[in-house]
Coordinates of all heavy atoms in Angstrom, one line a residue:
R1 N 205.2 15.4 -12.9 CA 204.2 15.1 -11.8 C 204.8 14.1 -10.8 O 204.7 14.2 -9.6 CB 202.9 14.6 -12.3 CG 202.1 15.7 -13.0 CD 200.8 15.2 -13.6 NE 200.1 16.3 -14.3 CZ 199.7 16.2 -15.5 NH1 199.8 15.1 -16.3 NH2 199.0 17.3 -16.0
D2 N 205.5 13.0 -11.4 CA 206.1 12.0 -10.6 C 207.3 12.7 -9.7 O 207.4 12.4 -8.6 CB 206.7 10.9 -11.4 CG 207.3 9.8 -10.6 OD1 206.6 9.2 -9.7 OD2 208.5 9.5 -10.8
A3 N 208.1 13.5 -10.4 CA 209.2 14.2 -9.7 C 208.6 15.0 -8.5 O 209.2 15.1 -7.4 CB 210.0 15.0 -10.6
A4 N 207.5 15.7 -8.7 CA 206.9 16.5 -7.7 C 206.6 15.7 -6.4 O 206.6 16.2 -5.3 CB 205.6 17.2 -8.2
T5 N 206.2 14.4 -6.6 CA 205.9 13.6 -5.4 C 207.1 13.3 -4.6 O 207.0 12.9 -3.4 CB 205.3 12.2 -5.9 OG1 206.2 11.4 -6.5 CG2 204.0 12.4 -6.7
R6 N 208.3 13.5 -5.1 CA 209.5 13.3 -4.4 C 210.2 14.6 -4.0 O 211.4 14.6 -3.6 CB 210.5 12.5 -5.3 CG 209.9 11.0 -5.5 CD 210.9 10.2 -6.2 NE 211.5 10.7 -7.4 CZ 211.0 10.6 -8.7 NH1 209.8 10.0 -8.8 NH2 211.6 11.2 -9.7
S7 N 209.5 15.7 -4.0 CA 210.1 16.9 -3.5 C 210.2 17.0 -2.0 O 209.5 16.2 -1.3 CB 209.3 18.1 -4.1 OG 208.0 18.2 -3.4
Y8 N 210.9 17.9 -1.5 CA 211.1 18.1 -0.1 C 210.5 19.5 0.2 O 211.2 20.5 -0.1 CB 212.5 18.0 0.3 CG 212.8 18.3 1.8 CD1 212.4 17.4 2.8 CD2 213.3 19.5 2.2 CE1 212.6 17.6 4.1 CE2 213.6 19.8 3.6 CZ 213.2 18.8 4.5 OH 213.4 19.1 5.8
A9 N 209.3 19.6 0.6 CA 208.6 20.9 0.8 C 207.8 21.0 2.1 O 206.6 21.2 2.1 CB 207.6 21.1 -0.4
P10 N 208.5 20.8 3.2 CA 207.8 20.8 4.5 C 207.4 22.2 4.9 O 206.5 22.3 5.8 CB 208.9 20.3 5.5 CG 210.2 20.7 4.9 CD 210.0 20.6 3.4
Y11 N 207.9 23.3 4.4 CA 207.5 24.6 4.8 C 206.4 25.2 4.0 O 205.3 25.6 4.5 CB 208.8 25.5 4.8 CG 209.9 24.9 5.5 CD1 211.0 24.3 4.9 CD2 209.8 24.7 6.9 CE1 212.0 23.7 5.6 CE2 210.8 24.1 7.6 CZ 211.9 23.6 6.9 OH 212.9 22.9 7.6
S12 N 206.5 25.3 2.7 CA 205.4 25.8 1.9 C 204.4 24.8 1.5 O 203.2 25.1 1.2 CB 206.0 26.4 0.5 OG 206.4 25.3 -0.3
R13 N 204.8 23.5 1.6 CA 203.9 22.4 1.2 C 203.5 22.5 -0.3 O 202.6 21.8 -0.8 CB 202.7 22.3 2.0 CG 203.0 22.1 3.5 CD 202.0 21.3 4.2 NE 202.2 21.2 5.6 CZ 203.1 20.5 6.3 NH1 203.9 19.8 5.6 NH2 203.2 20.5 7.6
V14 N 204.3 23.3 -1.1 CA 204.1 23.4 -2.5 C 205.1 22.5 -3.2 O 206.3 22.8 -3.2 CB 204.2 24.8 -3.0 CG1 204.1 24.9 -4.6 CG2 203.1 25.7 -2.4
R15 N 204.7 21.3 -3.6 CA 205.6 20.4 -4.3 C 205.7 20.8 -5.7 O 204.7 21.1 -6.3 CB 205.1 19.0 -4.1 CG 205.1 18.5 -2.7 CD 204.5 17.1 -2.6 NE 204.6 16.5 -1.3 CZ 205.7 15.8 -0.9 NH1 206.7 15.7 -1.7 NH2 205.7 15.4 0.3
V16 N 206.9 20.8 -6.3 CA 207.1 21.1 -7.7 C 208.1 20.1 -8.3 O 209.1 19.7 -7.7 CB 207.8 22.6 -7.8 CG1 208.0 22.9 -9.3 CG2 206.9 23.6 -7.1
G17 N 207.7 19.7 -9.5 CA 208.5 18.8 -10.2 C 208.8 19.3 -11.6 O 208.0 20.1 -12.2
A18 N 209.9 19.0 -12.2 CA 210.2 19.4 -13.5 C 210.8 18.2 -14.3 O 211.5 17.4 -13.7 CB 211.3 20.6 -13.5
S19 N 210.6 18.2 -15.6 CA 211.2 17.3 -16.5 C 211.5 18.0 -17.8 O 210.9 19.0 -18.1 CB 210.3 16.0 -16.7 OG 209.2 16.4 -17.5
A20 N 212.5 17.4 -18.5 CA 212.9 18.0 -19.7 C 213.4 17.0 -20.7 O 213.9 15.9 -20.4 CB 214.1 19.0 -19.5
L21 N 213.2 17.3 -22.0 CA 213.8 16.6 -23.1 C 215.2 17.3 -23.4 O 215.2 18.5 -23.5 CB 212.9 16.6 -24.3 CG 213.5 16.0 -25.6 CD1 213.7 14.5 -25.4 CD2 212.5 16.2 -26.7
T22 N 216.2 16.5 -23.5 CA 217.5 17.1 -23.8 C 218.0 16.8 -25.2 O 217.4 15.9 -25.9 CB 218.6 16.5 -22.9 OG1 218.9 15.1 -23.2 CG2 218.2 16.5 -21.4
S23 N 219.0 17.5 -25.7 CA 219.5 17.3 -27.0 C 220.1 16.0 -27.2 O 220.2 15.5 -28.4 CB 220.5 18.4 -27.4 OG 221.6 18.4 -26.5
S24 N 220.4 15.2 -26.2 CA 220.9 13.9 -26.3 C 219.8 12.8 -26.4 O 220.0 11.7 -26.5 CB 221.9 13.5 -25.1 OG 221.1 13.4 -23.9
G25 N 218.5 13.3 -26.3 CA 217.4 12.5 -26.4 C 216.9 11.9 -25.0 O 215.9 11.2 -25.0
E26 N 217.6 12.3 -24.0 CA 217.2 11.8 -22.6 C 216.1 12.7 -22.0 O 215.9 13.8 -22.4 CB 218.4 11.8 -21.7 CG 219.5 10.9 -22.1 CD 220.6 10.8 -21.1 OE1 220.3 10.3 -20.0 OE2 221.7 11.2 -21.4
I27 N 215.3 12.1 -21.1 CA 214.4 12.8 -20.3 C 215.0 12.9 -18.9 O 215.3 11.8 -18.3 CB 213.0 12.2 -20.3 CG1 212.4 12.3 -21.7 CG2 212.1 13.0 -19.3 CD1 211.0 11.8 -21.8
I28 N 215.1 14.1 -18.4 CA 215.7 14.3 -17.0 C 214.6 14.9 -16.1 O 213.6 15.4 -16.6 CB 217.0 15.1 -17.1 CG1 216.7 16.5 -17.7 CG2 218.1 14.4 -17.8 CD1 217.8 17.5 -17.6
E29 N 214.9 14.9 -14.8 CA 213.9 15.3 -13.9 C 214.6 16.1 -12.7 O 215.8 16.0 -12.5 CB 213.2 14.2 -13.3 CG 212.4 13.3 -14.3 CD 211.9 12.0 -13.7 OE1 212.2 11.7 -12.5 OE2 211.2 11.4 -14.4
G30 N 213.7 16.8 -12.0 CA 214.2 17.5 -10.8 C 213.0 17.8 -9.9 O 211.8 17.9 -10.4
S31 N 213.2 18.0 -8.7 CA 212.1 18.4 -7.8 C 212.7 19.5 -6.8 O 213.9 19.5 -6.5 CB 211.5 17.2 -7.0 OG 212.6 16.5 -6.3
N32 N 211.7 20.3 -6.2 CA 212.2 21.3 -5.3 C 212.7 20.7 -4.0 O 212.2 19.7 -3.6 CB 211.1 22.4 -5.1 CG 209.8 21.9 -4.5 OD1 209.4 20.8 -4.8 ND2 209.2 22.7 -3.7
V33 N 213.6 21.4 -3.4 CA 214.2 21.0 -2.1 C 214.2 22.3 -1.3 O 215.0 23.2 -1.5 CB 215.6 20.5 -2.3 CG1 216.2 20.1 -0.9 CG2 215.6 19.3 -3.2
E34 N 213.3 22.4 -0.3 CA 213.2 23.5 0.6 C 214.2 23.5 1.7 O 214.8 22.4 1.9 CB 211.8 23.7 1.2 CG 210.7 24.0 0.1 CD 209.4 24.2 0.7 OE1 209.1 23.8 1.9 OE2 208.5 24.7 -0.1
N35 N 214.4 24.6 2.3 CA 215.4 24.7 3.4 C 214.8 25.6 4.5 O 214.1 26.6 4.1 CB 216.7 25.3 2.9 CG 217.8 25.2 3.9 OD1 217.9 26.0 4.8 ND2 218.7 24.2 3.7
A36 N 215.1 25.4 5.7 CA 214.5 26.2 6.8 C 215.0 27.7 6.6 O 214.3 28.6 7.0 CB 215.0 25.7 8.2

């Protein structure tokens, strides 16, 4: 949810965030980045 707030979605306005638990024990994140 926090990652979704940092997405770049000026076209669809649909912000998406993702997070994951990795085999190294870390939590990583990503957010969508739209393009014209």
Side-chain angles (χ1 to χ4, degrees):
R1 288 176 181 130
D2 183 59
T5 67
R6 295 187 307 274
S7 71
Y8 177 74
Y11 307 107
S12 73
R13 301 211 189 284
V14 177
R15 295 176 173 275
V16 180
S19 69
L21 175 64
T22 72
S23 60
S24 69
E26 294 186 65
I27 295 179
I28 57 171
E29 301 171 354
S31 56
N32 61 323
V33 179
E34 293 183 345
N35 190 283

